Amino acid sequence: AQKVTQAQTEISVVEKEDVTLDCVYETRDTTYYLFWYKQPPSGELVFLIRRNSFDEQNEISGRYSWNFQKSTSSFNFTITASQVVDSAVYFCALSEGPGANSKLTFGKGITLSVRP
Amino acid sequence: KAGVTQTPRYLIKTRGQQVTLSCSPISGHRSVSWYQQTPGQGLQFLFEYFSETQRNKGNFPGRFSGRQFSNSRSEMNVSTLELGDSALYLCASSLESVNFYGYTFGSGTRLTVV
């Protein structure tokens, strides 16, 4: 069975601080996909990144970066120089891939509050 | 390109009633999934439809059902509503391809059962 653990439930930082959101996953599949979604107060889940199990390259997109380590089954997300607009709930999710088993298994989410 | 559209945005129903929620996927997306989000259980998978067929189902009672039409639009129905069905219901669509890019979500329908 698949499982995603986001051990941090709430994080509060002051604007311009760096913050790392942790994600640990469990799966028996060799092919899988990992995602991060952002959920602002409006409720919509906004896609941030997708990573498949064969691509362990870290990725940077502006102030966002992701560290994927298969050896520790982790897919951590770092926001550099956080801003108030980053305040939201962040979800890490796991999927076996396209087709009949494409469902997403989500972690419980991390509520990030960025104070001015 | 229009995103995933869910209607209505908000709904208040009485215990014992039934409700139907609607989802229009992104044009060209044939896979539609539904998720329930509650404070206690988080985001849980309800079911997934592809080409009008239910392809996968989560662990929810039979009161929760869905369907998909030939234009890929989907509806989910909850019969005999219970207080615990109060939740945000999110619909998501996906382009079926070898390179799986995941799902695009709608803004959700917030259902309150009183």
Side-chain angles (χ1 to χ4, degrees), chain A residues 33 35 37 39 42 44-45 50 91 95 97-100 102-104 106 108, chain B residues 9 35 37 40-41 43 45 55-56 96-98 100-103 105-107:
Chain A
Y33 294 78
F35 301 85
Y37 285 89
Q39 188 175 44
S42 60
E44 180 178 352
L45 283 171
R50 154 198 170 269
F91 292 93
S95 170
S102 61
K103 70 169 187 176
L104 293 167
F106 286 90
K108 292 292 188 184
Chain B
R9 285 297 310 274
Y35 291 81
Q37 185 177 24
Q41 299 300 316
L43 279 155
F45 171 74
R55 207 161 53 167
N56 202 352
E96 191 86 348
S97 73
V98 173
F100 181 52
Y101 292 100
Y103 285 94
F105 283 82
S107 298

PDB file of all heavy atoms in Angstrom, chain A residues 33 35 37 39 42 44-45 50 91 95 97-100 102-104 106 108, chain B residues 9 35 37 40-41 43 45 55-56 96-98 100-103 105-107:
ATOM      1  N   TYR A  33       5.178   8.316  -9.191  1.00  0.00           N
ATOM      2  CA  TYR A  33       5.273   9.759  -9.415  1.00  0.00           C
ATOM      3  C   TYR A  33       4.988  10.482  -8.110  1.00  0.00           C
ATOM      4  O   TYR A  33       4.107  10.085  -7.340  1.00  0.00           O
ATOM      5  CB  TYR A  33       4.252  10.198 -10.482  1.00  0.00           C
ATOM      6  CG  TYR A  33       4.537   9.634 -11.844  1.00  0.00           C
ATOM      7  CD1 TYR A  33       4.218   8.313 -12.157  1.00  0.00           C
ATOM      8  CD2 TYR A  33       5.150  10.407 -12.825  1.00  0.00           C
ATOM      9  CE1 TYR A  33       4.489   7.790 -13.405  1.00  0.00           C
ATOM     10  CE2 TYR A  33       5.420   9.885 -14.084  1.00  0.00           C
ATOM     11  CZ  TYR A  33       5.095   8.576 -14.363  1.00  0.00           C
ATOM     12  OH  TYR A  33       5.364   8.055 -15.595  1.00  0.00           O
ATOM     13  N   PHE A  35       4.306  14.354  -6.287  1.00  0.00           N
ATOM     14  CA  PHE A  35       3.785  15.690  -6.585  1.00  0.00           C
ATOM     15  C   PHE A  35       3.785  16.550  -5.328  1.00  0.00           C
ATOM     16  O   PHE A  35       3.697  16.053  -4.212  1.00  0.00           O
ATOM     17  CB  PHE A  35       2.325  15.604  -7.081  1.00  0.00           C
ATOM     18  CG  PHE A  35       2.135  14.767  -8.302  1.00  0.00           C
ATOM     19  CD1 PHE A  35       1.971  13.394  -8.196  1.00  0.00           C
ATOM     20  CD2 PHE A  35       2.112  15.348  -9.553  1.00  0.00           C
ATOM     21  CE1 PHE A  35       1.804  12.603  -9.321  1.00  0.00           C
ATOM     22  CE2 PHE A  35       1.936  14.568 -10.687  1.00  0.00           C
ATOM     23  CZ  PHE A  35       1.778  13.199 -10.563  1.00  0.00           C
ATOM     24  N   TYR A  37       1.412  19.928  -4.188  1.00  0.00           N
ATOM     25  CA  TYR A  37       0.312  20.833  -4.506  1.00  0.00           C
ATOM     26  C   TYR A  37       0.214  21.889  -3.412  1.00  0.00           C
ATOM     27  O   TYR A  37       0.510  21.626  -2.251  1.00  0.00           O
ATOM     28  CB  TYR A  37      -1.024  20.080  -4.570  1.00  0.00           C
ATOM     29  CG  TYR A  37      -1.233  19.246  -5.804  1.00  0.00           C
ATOM     30  CD1 TYR A  37      -0.825  17.921  -5.853  1.00  0.00           C
ATOM     31  CD2 TYR A  37      -1.864  19.786  -6.924  1.00  0.00           C
ATOM     32  CE1 TYR A  37      -1.031  17.143  -6.986  1.00  0.00           C
ATOM     33  CE2 TYR A  37      -2.084  19.016  -8.068  1.00  0.00           C
ATOM     34  CZ  TYR A  37      -1.665  17.702  -8.083  1.00  0.00           C
ATOM     35  OH  TYR A  37      -1.878  16.939  -9.207  1.00  0.00           O
ATOM     36  N   GLN A  39      -2.513  24.577  -1.599  1.00  0.00           N
ATOM     37  CA  GLN A  39      -3.932  24.863  -1.446  1.00  0.00           C
ATOM     38  C   GLN A  39      -4.111  26.190  -0.708  1.00  0.00           C
ATOM     39  O   GLN A  39      -3.994  26.251   0.511  1.00  0.00           O
ATOM     40  CB  GLN A  39      -4.666  23.745  -0.703  1.00  0.00           C
ATOM     41  CG  GLN A  39      -6.177  23.924  -0.688  1.00  0.00           C
ATOM     42  CD  GLN A  39      -6.896  22.755  -0.045  1.00  0.00           C
ATOM     43  OE1 GLN A  39      -6.489  22.253   0.996  1.00  0.00           O
ATOM     44  NE2 GLN A  39      -7.992  22.309  -0.663  1.00  0.00           N
ATOM     45  N   SER A  42      -8.805  29.617  -0.964  1.00  0.00           N
ATOM     46  CA  SER A  42      -9.903  29.430  -1.926  1.00  0.00           C
ATOM     47  C   SER A  42     -10.246  27.956  -2.121  1.00  0.00           C
ATOM     48  O   SER A  42     -11.342  27.630  -2.583  1.00  0.00           O
ATOM     49  CB  SER A  42      -9.530  30.048  -3.278  1.00  0.00           C
ATOM     50  OG  SER A  42      -8.360  29.424  -3.791  1.00  0.00           O
ATOM     51  N   GLU A  44      -8.789  25.505  -4.076  1.00  0.00           N
ATOM     52  CA  GLU A  44      -8.273  24.787  -5.242  1.00  0.00           C
ATOM     53  C   GLU A  44      -6.867  24.265  -4.981  1.00  0.00           C
ATOM     54  O   GLU A  44      -6.046  24.932  -4.381  1.00  0.00           O
ATOM     55  CB  GLU A  44      -8.253  25.734  -6.439  1.00  0.00           C
ATOM     56  CG  GLU A  44      -7.748  25.135  -7.731  1.00  0.00           C
ATOM     57  CD  GLU A  44      -7.816  26.126  -8.879  1.00  0.00           C
ATOM     58  OE1 GLU A  44      -8.389  27.216  -8.690  1.00  0.00           O
ATOM     59  OE2 GLU A  44      -7.310  25.801  -9.954  1.00  0.00           O
ATOM     60  N   LEU A  45      -6.580  23.067  -5.426  1.00  0.00           N
ATOM     61  CA  LEU A  45      -5.235  22.508  -5.311  1.00  0.00           C
ATOM     62  C   LEU A  45      -4.431  22.946  -6.538  1.00  0.00           C
ATOM     63  O   LEU A  45      -4.777  22.614  -7.660  1.00  0.00           O
ATOM     64  CB  LEU A  45      -5.280  20.982  -5.244  1.00  0.00           C
ATOM     65  CG  LEU A  45      -5.706  20.380  -3.909  1.00  0.00           C
ATOM     66  CD1 LEU A  45      -5.915  18.889  -4.041  1.00  0.00           C
ATOM     67  CD2 LEU A  45      -4.661  20.665  -2.845  1.00  0.00           C
ATOM     68  N   ARG A  50       5.964  17.845 -10.440  1.00  0.00           N
ATOM     69  CA  ARG A  50       5.847  16.401 -10.606  1.00  0.00           C
ATOM     70  C   ARG A  50       7.252  15.841 -10.793  1.00  0.00           C
ATOM     71  O   ARG A  50       8.084  16.433 -11.472  1.00  0.00           O
ATOM     72  CB  ARG A  50       5.005  16.095 -11.843  1.00  0.00           C
ATOM     73  CG  ARG A  50       5.282  14.747 -12.517  1.00  0.00           C
ATOM     74  CD  ARG A  50       4.731  14.782 -13.913  1.00  0.00           C
ATOM     75  NE  ARG A  50       5.123  13.659 -14.722  1.00  0.00           N
ATOM     76  CZ  ARG A  50       6.200  13.605 -15.502  1.00  0.00           C
ATOM     77  NH1 ARG A  50       7.049  14.613 -15.523  1.00  0.00           N
ATOM     78  NH2 ARG A  50       6.453  12.546 -16.238  1.00  0.00           N
ATOM     79  N   PHE A  91       0.573  20.109   0.093  1.00  0.00           N
ATOM     80  CA  PHE A  91       0.382  18.664   0.107  1.00  0.00           C
ATOM     81  C   PHE A  91       1.406  17.985  -0.778  1.00  0.00           C
ATOM     82  O   PHE A  91       1.659  18.413  -1.908  1.00  0.00           O
ATOM     83  CB  PHE A  91      -1.014  18.290  -0.408  1.00  0.00           C
ATOM     84  CG  PHE A  91      -2.132  18.696   0.492  1.00  0.00           C
ATOM     85  CD1 PHE A  91      -2.783  19.905   0.316  1.00  0.00           C
ATOM     86  CD2 PHE A  91      -2.538  17.862   1.534  1.00  0.00           C
ATOM     87  CE1 PHE A  91      -3.816  20.285   1.155  1.00  0.00           C
ATOM     88  CE2 PHE A  91      -3.575  18.230   2.374  1.00  0.00           C
ATOM     89  CZ  PHE A  91      -4.217  19.447   2.187  1.00  0.00           C
ATOM     90  N   SER A  95       1.628   8.753  -6.723  1.00  0.00           N
ATOM     91  CA  SER A  95       0.783   8.005  -7.648  1.00  0.00           C
ATOM     92  C   SER A  95       1.615   6.931  -8.332  1.00  0.00           C
ATOM     93  O   SER A  95       2.814   7.098  -8.527  1.00  0.00           O
ATOM     94  CB  SER A  95       0.198   8.948  -8.704  1.00  0.00           C
ATOM     95  OG  SER A  95      -0.436   8.220  -9.733  1.00  0.00           O
ATOM     96  N   GLY A  97       1.139   6.168 -11.369  1.00  0.00           N
ATOM     97  CA  GLY A  97       1.331   6.566 -12.752  1.00  0.00           C
ATOM     98  C   GLY A  97       0.043   6.532 -13.532  1.00  0.00           C
ATOM     99  O   GLY A  97      -1.040   6.429 -12.963  1.00  0.00           O
ATOM    100  N   PRO A  98       0.121   6.656 -14.853  1.00  0.00           N
ATOM    101  CA  PRO A  98      -1.081   6.752 -15.673  1.00  0.00           C
ATOM    102  C   PRO A  98      -1.863   5.445 -15.682  1.00  0.00           C
ATOM    103  O   PRO A  98      -1.340   4.388 -15.358  1.00  0.00           O
ATOM    104  CB  PRO A  98      -0.536   7.068 -17.063  1.00  0.00           C
ATOM    105  CG  PRO A  98       0.846   6.519 -17.055  1.00  0.00           C
ATOM    106  CD  PRO A  98       1.341   6.679 -15.651  1.00  0.00           C
ATOM    107  N   GLY A  99      -3.132   5.553 -16.024  1.00  0.00           N
ATOM    108  CA  GLY A  99      -3.950   4.361 -16.143  1.00  0.00           C
ATOM    109  C   GLY A  99      -4.807   4.125 -14.919  1.00  0.00           C
ATOM    110  O   GLY A  99      -5.097   5.034 -14.150  1.00  0.00           O
ATOM    111  N   ALA A 100      -5.171   2.882 -14.737  1.00  0.00           N
ATOM    112  CA  ALA A 100      -6.145   2.527 -13.704  1.00  0.00           C
ATOM    113  C   ALA A 100      -5.660   2.787 -12.285  1.00  0.00           C
ATOM    114  O   ALA A 100      -6.456   2.864 -11.362  1.00  0.00           O
ATOM    115  CB  ALA A 100      -6.531   1.062 -13.854  1.00  0.00           C
ATOM    116  N   SER A 102      -3.914   5.461 -11.239  1.00  0.00           N
ATOM    117  CA  SER A 102      -3.357   6.806 -11.229  1.00  0.00           C
ATOM    118  C   SER A 102      -3.781   7.629 -10.020  1.00  0.00           C
ATOM    119  O   SER A 102      -3.390   8.775  -9.889  1.00  0.00           O
ATOM    120  CB  SER A 102      -3.775   7.550 -12.497  1.00  0.00           C
ATOM    121  OG  SER A 102      -5.184   7.663 -12.550  1.00  0.00           O
ATOM    122  N   LYS A 103      -4.564   7.047  -9.128  1.00  0.00           N
ATOM    123  CA  LYS A 103      -5.058   7.852  -8.011  1.00  0.00           C
ATOM    124  C   LYS A 103      -3.907   8.411  -7.201  1.00  0.00           C
ATOM    125  O   LYS A 103      -2.835   7.824  -7.087  1.00  0.00           O
ATOM    126  CB  LYS A 103      -5.950   7.002  -7.108  1.00  0.00           C
ATOM    127  CG  LYS A 103      -5.202   5.953  -6.321  1.00  0.00           C
ATOM    128  CD  LYS A 103      -6.080   5.325  -5.253  1.00  0.00           C
ATOM    129  CE  LYS A 103      -5.250   4.401  -4.383  1.00  0.00           C
ATOM    130  NZ  LYS A 103      -6.032   3.845  -3.264  1.00  0.00           N
ATOM    131  N   LEU A 104      -4.159   9.578  -6.628  1.00  0.00           N
ATOM    132  CA  LEU A 104      -3.174  10.243  -5.782  1.00  0.00           C
ATOM    133  C   LEU A 104      -3.408   9.873  -4.324  1.00  0.00           C
ATOM    134  O   LEU A 104      -4.538   9.915  -3.839  1.00  0.00           O
ATOM    135  CB  LEU A 104      -3.293  11.756  -5.941  1.00  0.00           C
ATOM    136  CG  LEU A 104      -2.899  12.331  -7.308  1.00  0.00           C
ATOM    137  CD1 LEU A 104      -3.371  13.767  -7.424  1.00  0.00           C
ATOM    138  CD2 LEU A 104      -1.395  12.251  -7.496  1.00  0.00           C
ATOM    139  N   PHE A 106      -2.426  11.243  -0.783  1.00  0.00           N
ATOM    140  CA  PHE A 106      -1.936  12.505  -0.229  1.00  0.00           C
ATOM    141  C   PHE A 106      -1.424  12.344   1.194  1.00  0.00           C
ATOM    142  O   PHE A 106      -1.911  11.488   1.957  1.00  0.00           O
ATOM    143  CB  PHE A 106      -3.062  13.543  -0.192  1.00  0.00           C
ATOM    144  CG  PHE A 106      -3.424  14.121  -1.526  1.00  0.00           C
ATOM    145  CD1 PHE A 106      -4.405  13.530  -2.306  1.00  0.00           C
ATOM    146  CD2 PHE A 106      -2.797  15.265  -1.992  1.00  0.00           C
ATOM    147  CE1 PHE A 106      -4.751  14.064  -3.541  1.00  0.00           C
ATOM    148  CE2 PHE A 106      -3.134  15.816  -3.221  1.00  0.00           C
ATOM    149  CZ  PHE A 106      -4.115  15.209  -3.993  1.00  0.00           C
ATOM    150  N   LYS A 108      -1.030  14.468   4.905  1.00  0.00           N
ATOM    151  CA  LYS A 108      -2.030  15.225   5.666  1.00  0.00           C
ATOM    152  C   LYS A 108      -1.920  16.734   5.423  1.00  0.00           C
ATOM    153  O   LYS A 108      -2.804  17.490   5.802  1.00  0.00           O
ATOM    154  CB  LYS A 108      -1.882  14.962   7.160  1.00  0.00           C
ATOM    155  CG  LYS A 108      -2.255  13.545   7.566  1.00  0.00           C
ATOM    156  CD  LYS A 108      -3.741  13.298   7.409  1.00  0.00           C
ATOM    157  CE  LYS A 108      -4.134  11.950   8.001  1.00  0.00           C
ATOM    158  NZ  LYS A 108      -5.560  11.646   7.762  1.00  0.00           N
TER     159      LYS A 108
ATOM    160  N   ARG B   9     -20.477  25.807  -6.178  1.00  0.00           N
ATOM    161  CA  ARG B   9     -19.336  26.038  -5.284  1.00  0.00           C
ATOM    162  C   ARG B   9     -19.701  25.724  -3.835  1.00  0.00           C
ATOM    163  O   ARG B   9     -18.884  25.219  -3.078  1.00  0.00           O
ATOM    164  CB  ARG B   9     -18.870  27.490  -5.377  1.00  0.00           C
ATOM    165  CG  ARG B   9     -18.093  27.841  -6.620  1.00  0.00           C
ATOM    166  CD  ARG B   9     -16.763  27.063  -6.733  1.00  0.00           C
ATOM    167  NE  ARG B   9     -15.943  27.106  -5.521  1.00  0.00           N
ATOM    168  CZ  ARG B   9     -15.080  28.063  -5.238  1.00  0.00           C
ATOM    169  NH1 ARG B   9     -14.928  29.092  -6.039  1.00  0.00           N
ATOM    170  NH2 ARG B   9     -14.341  28.006  -4.128  1.00  0.00           N
ATOM    171  N   TYR B  35     -12.236  13.562  -5.145  1.00  0.00           N
ATOM    172  CA  TYR B  35     -11.624  13.437  -3.829  1.00  0.00           C
ATOM    173  C   TYR B  35     -12.487  14.149  -2.803  1.00  0.00           C
ATOM    174  O   TYR B  35     -13.115  15.169  -3.096  1.00  0.00           O
ATOM    175  CB  TYR B  35     -10.215  14.060  -3.822  1.00  0.00           C
ATOM    176  CG  TYR B  35      -9.201  13.294  -4.630  1.00  0.00           C
ATOM    177  CD1 TYR B  35      -9.132  13.455  -6.012  1.00  0.00           C
ATOM    178  CD2 TYR B  35      -8.331  12.394  -4.024  1.00  0.00           C
ATOM    179  CE1 TYR B  35      -8.217  12.740  -6.771  1.00  0.00           C
ATOM    180  CE2 TYR B  35      -7.407  11.675  -4.779  1.00  0.00           C
ATOM    181  CZ  TYR B  35      -7.369  11.856  -6.146  1.00  0.00           C
ATOM    182  OH  TYR B  35      -6.453  11.144  -6.894  1.00  0.00           O
ATOM    183  N   GLN B  37     -12.304  16.010   0.908  1.00  0.00           N
ATOM    184  CA  GLN B  37     -11.368  16.592   1.865  1.00  0.00           C
ATOM    185  C   GLN B  37     -12.114  17.003   3.124  1.00  0.00           C
ATOM    186  O   GLN B  37     -13.047  17.812   3.087  1.00  0.00           O
ATOM    187  CB  GLN B  37     -10.649  17.812   1.270  1.00  0.00           C
ATOM    188  CG  GLN B  37      -9.584  18.380   2.201  1.00  0.00           C
ATOM    189  CD  GLN B  37      -8.817  19.537   1.586  1.00  0.00           C
ATOM    190  OE1 GLN B  37      -9.293  20.218   0.681  1.00  0.00           O
ATOM    191  NE2 GLN B  37      -7.614  19.775   2.065  1.00  0.00           N
ATOM    192  N   GLY B  40     -10.559  15.994   9.423  1.00  0.00           N
ATOM    193  CA  GLY B  40     -10.107  14.819  10.147  1.00  0.00           C
ATOM    194  C   GLY B  40      -9.389  13.786   9.288  1.00  0.00           C
ATOM    195  O   GLY B  40      -8.366  13.243   9.686  1.00  0.00           O
ATOM    196  N   GLN B  41      -9.914  13.531   8.111  1.00  0.00           N
ATOM    197  CA  GLN B  41      -9.367  12.476   7.246  1.00  0.00           C
ATOM    198  C   GLN B  41      -8.467  12.993   6.134  1.00  0.00           C
ATOM    199  O   GLN B  41      -7.807  12.212   5.448  1.00  0.00           O
ATOM    200  CB  GLN B  41     -10.515  11.678   6.618  1.00  0.00           C
ATOM    201  CG  GLN B  41     -11.397  10.971   7.630  1.00  0.00           C
ATOM    202  CD  GLN B  41     -10.614   9.979   8.470  1.00  0.00           C
ATOM    203  OE1 GLN B  41      -9.799   9.223   7.951  1.00  0.00           O
ATOM    204  NE2 GLN B  41     -10.832  10.007   9.778  1.00  0.00           N
ATOM    205  N   LEU B  43      -7.344  14.426   2.515  1.00  0.00           N
ATOM    206  CA  LEU B  43      -7.784  14.214   1.137  1.00  0.00           C
ATOM    207  C   LEU B  43      -7.862  12.724   0.856  1.00  0.00           C
ATOM    208  O   LEU B  43      -6.862  12.014   0.931  1.00  0.00           O
ATOM    209  CB  LEU B  43      -6.793  14.858   0.169  1.00  0.00           C
ATOM    210  CG  LEU B  43      -6.952  16.347  -0.049  1.00  0.00           C
ATOM    211  CD1 LEU B  43      -5.650  16.974  -0.477  1.00  0.00           C
ATOM    212  CD2 LEU B  43      -8.036  16.615  -1.096  1.00  0.00           C
ATOM    213  N   PHE B  45      -9.345   9.645  -1.827  1.00  0.00           N
ATOM    214  CA  PHE B  45      -9.790   9.313  -3.171  1.00  0.00           C
ATOM    215  C   PHE B  45     -11.157   8.642  -3.144  1.00  0.00           C
ATOM    216  O   PHE B  45     -11.379   7.691  -2.380  1.00  0.00           O
ATOM    217  CB  PHE B  45      -8.754   8.379  -3.793  1.00  0.00           C
ATOM    218  CG  PHE B  45      -9.151   7.776  -5.098  1.00  0.00           C
ATOM    219  CD1 PHE B  45      -9.162   8.531  -6.261  1.00  0.00           C
ATOM    220  CD2 PHE B  45      -9.511   6.432  -5.172  1.00  0.00           C
ATOM    221  CE1 PHE B  45      -9.517   7.960  -7.470  1.00  0.00           C
ATOM    222  CE2 PHE B  45      -9.861   5.860  -6.376  1.00  0.00           C
ATOM    223  CZ  PHE B  45      -9.869   6.622  -7.524  1.00  0.00           C
ATOM    224  N   ARG B  55     -12.905   3.300 -13.295  1.00  0.00           N
ATOM    225  CA  ARG B  55     -11.683   2.517 -13.396  1.00  0.00           C
ATOM    226  C   ARG B  55     -11.092   2.183 -12.029  1.00  0.00           C
ATOM    227  O   ARG B  55     -10.310   1.248 -11.893  1.00  0.00           O
ATOM    228  CB  ARG B  55     -10.680   3.310 -14.245  1.00  0.00           C
ATOM    229  CG  ARG B  55      -9.689   2.499 -14.975  1.00  0.00           C
ATOM    230  CD  ARG B  55      -9.046   3.229 -16.115  1.00  0.00           C
ATOM    231  NE  ARG B  55      -8.449   4.506 -15.793  1.00  0.00           N
ATOM    232  CZ  ARG B  55      -7.631   5.158 -16.615  1.00  0.00           C
ATOM    233  NH1 ARG B  55      -7.303   4.621 -17.773  1.00  0.00           N
ATOM    234  NH2 ARG B  55      -7.152   6.342 -16.297  1.00  0.00           N
ATOM    235  N   ASN B  56     -11.433   2.986 -11.047  1.00  0.00           N
ATOM    236  CA  ASN B  56     -10.864   2.769  -9.725  1.00  0.00           C
ATOM    237  C   ASN B  56     -11.812   3.365  -8.697  1.00  0.00           C
ATOM    238  O   ASN B  56     -12.510   4.362  -8.976  1.00  0.00           O
ATOM    239  CB  ASN B  56      -9.479   3.446  -9.627  1.00  0.00           C
ATOM    240  CG  ASN B  56      -8.616   2.849  -8.543  1.00  0.00           C
ATOM    241  OD1 ASN B  56      -9.072   2.031  -7.742  1.00  0.00           O
ATOM    242  ND2 ASN B  56      -7.361   3.256  -8.510  1.00  0.00           N
ATOM    243  N   GLU B  96      -4.595  11.484 -20.406  1.00  0.00           N
ATOM    244  CA  GLU B  96      -4.059  10.131 -20.398  1.00  0.00           C
ATOM    245  C   GLU B  96      -2.897  10.052 -21.375  1.00  0.00           C
ATOM    246  O   GLU B  96      -3.063  10.179 -22.578  1.00  0.00           O
ATOM    247  CB  GLU B  96      -5.167   9.139 -20.809  1.00  0.00           C
ATOM    248  CG  GLU B  96      -4.806   7.699 -20.584  1.00  0.00           C
ATOM    249  CD  GLU B  96      -5.103   7.221 -19.168  1.00  0.00           C
ATOM    250  OE1 GLU B  96      -5.377   8.053 -18.301  1.00  0.00           O
ATOM    251  OE2 GLU B  96      -5.071   6.007 -18.950  1.00  0.00           O
ATOM    252  N   SER B  97      -1.702   9.856 -20.843  1.00  0.00           N
ATOM    253  CA  SER B  97      -0.543   9.748 -21.714  1.00  0.00           C
ATOM    254  C   SER B  97       0.523   8.914 -21.013  1.00  0.00           C
ATOM    255  O   SER B  97       0.460   8.697 -19.803  1.00  0.00           O
ATOM    256  CB  SER B  97       0.017  11.131 -22.056  1.00  0.00           C
ATOM    257  OG  SER B  97       0.670  11.687 -20.939  1.00  0.00           O
ATOM    258  N   VAL B  98       1.481   8.461 -21.781  1.00  0.00           N
ATOM    259  CA  VAL B  98       2.554   7.653 -21.210  1.00  0.00           C
ATOM    260  C   VAL B  98       3.319   8.453 -20.158  1.00  0.00           C
ATOM    261  O   VAL B  98       3.670   7.950 -19.098  1.00  0.00           O
ATOM    262  CB  VAL B  98       3.509   7.184 -22.319  1.00  0.00           C
ATOM    263  CG1 VAL B  98       4.707   6.484 -21.714  1.00  0.00           C
ATOM    264  CG2 VAL B  98       2.783   6.273 -23.286  1.00  0.00           C
ATOM    265  N   PHE B 100       2.998  10.687 -17.397  1.00  0.00           N
ATOM    266  CA  PHE B 100       1.916  11.063 -16.507  1.00  0.00           C
ATOM    267  C   PHE B 100       2.216  12.399 -15.849  1.00  0.00           C
ATOM    268  O   PHE B 100       3.171  12.536 -15.102  1.00  0.00           O
ATOM    269  CB  PHE B 100       1.751   9.969 -15.456  1.00  0.00           C
ATOM    270  CG  PHE B 100       0.643  10.217 -14.470  1.00  0.00           C
ATOM    271  CD1 PHE B 100      -0.635  10.523 -14.899  1.00  0.00           C
ATOM    272  CD2 PHE B 100       0.883  10.125 -13.112  1.00  0.00           C
ATOM    273  CE1 PHE B 100      -1.656  10.736 -13.996  1.00  0.00           C
ATOM    274  CE2 PHE B 100      -0.125  10.342 -12.200  1.00  0.00           C
ATOM    275  CZ  PHE B 100      -1.394  10.645 -12.637  1.00  0.00           C
ATOM    276  N   TYR B 101       1.396  13.382 -16.140  1.00  0.00           N
ATOM    277  CA  TYR B 101       1.621  14.702 -15.590  1.00  0.00           C
ATOM    278  C   TYR B 101       0.739  15.013 -14.398  1.00  0.00           C
ATOM    279  O   TYR B 101       0.728  16.129 -13.907  1.00  0.00           O
ATOM    280  CB  TYR B 101       1.449  15.763 -16.680  1.00  0.00           C
ATOM    281  CG  TYR B 101       2.542  15.667 -17.719  1.00  0.00           C
ATOM    282  CD1 TYR B 101       2.325  15.045 -18.941  1.00  0.00           C
ATOM    283  CD2 TYR B 101       3.806  16.175 -17.450  1.00  0.00           C
ATOM    284  CE1 TYR B 101       3.341  14.929 -19.869  1.00  0.00           C
ATOM    285  CE2 TYR B 101       4.831  16.067 -18.371  1.00  0.00           C
ATOM    286  CZ  TYR B 101       4.588  15.443 -19.572  1.00  0.00           C
ATOM    287  OH  TYR B 101       5.589  15.327 -20.490  1.00  0.00           O
ATOM    288  N   GLY B 102      -0.008  14.022 -13.961  1.00  0.00           N
ATOM    289  CA  GLY B 102      -0.812  14.231 -12.772  1.00  0.00           C
ATOM    290  C   GLY B 102      -2.133  14.894 -13.087  1.00  0.00           C
ATOM    291  O   GLY B 102      -2.581  14.920 -14.225  1.00  0.00           O
ATOM    292  N   TYR B 103      -2.746  15.400 -12.081  1.00  0.00           N
ATOM    293  CA  TYR B 103      -4.094  15.920 -12.189  1.00  0.00           C
ATOM    294  C   TYR B 103      -4.164  17.425 -12.006  1.00  0.00           C
ATOM    295  O   TYR B 103      -3.416  18.003 -11.226  1.00  0.00           O
ATOM    296  CB  TYR B 103      -4.993  15.257 -11.135  1.00  0.00           C
ATOM    297  CG  TYR B 103      -5.375  13.846 -11.475  1.00  0.00           C
ATOM    298  CD1 TYR B 103      -4.649  12.756 -10.996  1.00  0.00           C
ATOM    299  CD2 TYR B 103      -6.470  13.593 -12.298  1.00  0.00           C
ATOM    300  CE1 TYR B 103      -5.001  11.460 -11.325  1.00  0.00           C
ATOM    301  CE2 TYR B 103      -6.833  12.295 -12.627  1.00  0.00           C
ATOM    302  CZ  TYR B 103      -6.099  11.238 -12.140  1.00  0.00           C
ATOM    303  OH  TYR B 103      -6.443   9.961 -12.471  1.00  0.00           O
ATOM    304  N   PHE B 105      -6.787  20.201 -10.659  1.00  0.00           N
ATOM    305  CA  PHE B 105      -7.947  20.216  -9.785  1.00  0.00           C
ATOM    306  C   PHE B 105      -8.841  21.426 -10.017  1.00  0.00           C
ATOM    307  O   PHE B 105      -8.376  22.505 -10.423  1.00  0.00           O
ATOM    308  CB  PHE B 105      -7.501  20.226  -8.324  1.00  0.00           C
ATOM    309  CG  PHE B 105      -7.036  18.890  -7.829  1.00  0.00           C
ATOM    310  CD1 PHE B 105      -5.746  18.449  -8.088  1.00  0.00           C
ATOM    311  CD2 PHE B 105      -7.885  18.066  -7.110  1.00  0.00           C
ATOM    312  CE1 PHE B 105      -5.310  17.212  -7.647  1.00  0.00           C
ATOM    313  CE2 PHE B 105      -7.456  16.825  -6.652  1.00  0.00           C
ATOM    314  CZ  PHE B 105      -6.177  16.398  -6.933  1.00  0.00           C
ATOM    315  N   GLY B 106     -10.125  21.235  -9.735  1.00  0.00           N
ATOM    316  CA  GLY B 106     -11.065  22.335  -9.720  1.00  0.00           C
ATOM    317  C   GLY B 106     -11.061  23.009  -8.359  1.00  0.00           C
ATOM    318  O   GLY B 106     -10.316  22.619  -7.451  1.00  0.00           O
ATOM    319  N   SER B 107     -11.922  24.017  -8.215  1.00  0.00           N
ATOM    320  CA  SER B 107     -11.975  24.780  -6.962  1.00  0.00           C
ATOM    321  C   SER B 107     -12.798  24.088  -5.885  1.00  0.00           C
ATOM    322  O   SER B 107     -12.785  24.512  -4.742  1.00  0.00           O
ATOM    323  CB  SER B 107     -12.555  26.170  -7.211  1.00  0.00           C
ATOM    324  OG  SER B 107     -11.721  26.892  -8.093  1.00  0.00           O
TER     325      SER B 107
END
